Amino acid sequence: MSLRSQGRSASQPRPLKITPKFLKNPMGSVLVEYGETRVLCTASVEDSVPNWMRGTRGQGWVTAEYSLLPASTHDRTRRERQHLSGRTQEIQRLIGRSLRSIVDMKLLGERTIIVDCDVLQADGGTRTAAITGGYVALKLAIEALIKQNKIKTNPLRDAVAAVSVGILEEQVYVDLDYHEDQKADVDLNVVMTASGQLLEVQGTAEKRPFNREQLNKMLDLASDALKEAFDEQNAAFA
């Protein structure tokens, strides 16, 4: 396998570092670093649910917001003050779906947990880093609620993390950085639980189609890479 940035092989993800309790004000916070990509994830709790959920017998809600800070990219990214771009909306929905899928909303009670994912520095894989870090922030917030006796039973059914995979010049690579992602023929984002269940697979043939064998190889590489991510999540809690 050819070597990449930081001397990585095609099957080797970037170094992952998770720093829990990065901020003091949110109930859950974490700084997640995938190589040069850095995302600040925080979890805040509101003792209410969206209007459309009222009357659902104490069921809660988990949602997410995502933002690229202006200096996170090489050229300044403008703040989305009034209207969110289609990309931002898509990523927010992906993060929210991924986190909700492992939460029992009835056990959460009639409250909302908002997970904010702010990209401090973008070098590819910001949405997958947001999911991996967002889960840690979410769990820290839930642990705080349990400690405060606001929740009696842990509503988390599993852990969740995500990683990108791609095909570049017929070679499958895991955890693409920005320069690799820009040149990739195929871009795939894989969201998985710690128990090995797939939550979401977002795949696009940017330049040329891919076959089932290549898809299977991408999923296998993603699964192996995510084992390291789950280990790092557990270490953050320890």
Side-chain angles (χ1 to χ4, degrees):
M1 292 185 177
S2 60
L3 293 180
R4 314 152 66 189
S5 62
Q6 300 176 323
R8 293 189 291 149
S9 67
S11 61
Q12 185 178 8
R14 291 172 290 179
L16 170 60
K17 180 181 179 182
I18 298 176
T19 305
K21 301 180 181 178
F22 194 74
L23 299 177
K24 69 175 184 178
N25 291 324
M27 294 191 73
S29 69
V30 60
L31 176 67
V32 58
E33 302 172 70
Y34 264 105
E36 295 299 320
T37 289
R38 293 175 174 84
V39 183
L40 176 62
C41 303
T42 61
S44 304
V45 180
E46 294 182 354
D47 292 324
S48 61
V49 292
N51 290 336
W52 58 270
M53 286 195 66
R54 291 179 181 173
T56 53
R57 299 181 181 179
Q59 186 167 304
W61 187 245
V62 174
T63 188
E65 295 190 10
Y66 168 95
S67 177
L68 283 168
L69 296 188
S72 64
T73 52
H74 185 271
D75 296 321
R76 183 183 185 276
T77 297
R78 291 189 176 184
R79 297 183 190 273
E80 297 177 336
R81 298 183 184 278
Q82 296 180 336
H83 302 287
L84 297 180
S85 67
R87 176 182 181 276
T88 296
Q89 292 183 56
E90 177 217 343
I91 293 175
Q92 288 188 168
R93 290 167 182 160
L94 171 64
I95 300 169
R97 287 195 304 270
S98 300
L99 298 178
R100 284 193 296 272
S101 66
I102 47 95
V103 178
D104 186 326
M105 297 300 169
K106 292 182 179 179
L107 294 179
L108 184 60
E110 196 163 329
R111 57 178 54 85
T112 299
I113 300 181
I114 306 100
V115 178
D116 289 291
C117 302
D118 293 298
V119 179
L120 308 181
Q121 186 165 280
D123 186 33
T126 60
R127 72 185 69 192
T128 54
I131 293 170
T132 301
Y135 165 75
V136 179
L138 173 65
K139 183 174 180 179
L140 289 172
I142 287 174
E143 288 180 347
L145 289 170
I146 294 174
K147 188 175 182 179
Q148 296 170 5
N149 294 319
K150 294 183 177 180
I151 295 179
K152 295 182 179 180
T153 305
N154 190 344
L156 289 173
R157 295 188 290 249
D158 210 332
V160 60
V163 71
S164 65
V165 198
I167 298 177
L168 177 60
E169 298 177 352
E170 301 301 320
Q171 173 70 60
V172 177
Y173 293 90
V174 69
D175 189 20
L176 279 65
D177 63 23
Y178 175 77
H179 293 292
E180 292 169 336
D181 184 64
Q182 291 296 299
K183 297 182 291 184
D185 298 319
V186 176
D187 184 23
L188 196 78
N189 293 303
V190 180
V191 186
M192 188 176 289
T193 67
S195 59
Q197 301 295 304
L198 289 168
L199 292 177
E200 188 146 351
V201 178
Q202 291 185 335
T204 304
E206 303 284 355
K207 299 174 183 176
R208 63 183 70 180
F210 57 99
N211 57 42
R212 178 66 65 84
E213 182 180 355
Q214 290 172 314
L215 174 60
N216 290 339
K217 185 172 183 179
M218 285 190 284
L219 291 175
D220 288 342
L221 285 183
S223 178
D224 290 341
L226 287 174
K227 291 176 183 176
E228 296 183 27
F230 290 121
D231 287 343
E232 189 65 25
Q233 287 178 333
N234 290 332
F237 296 124

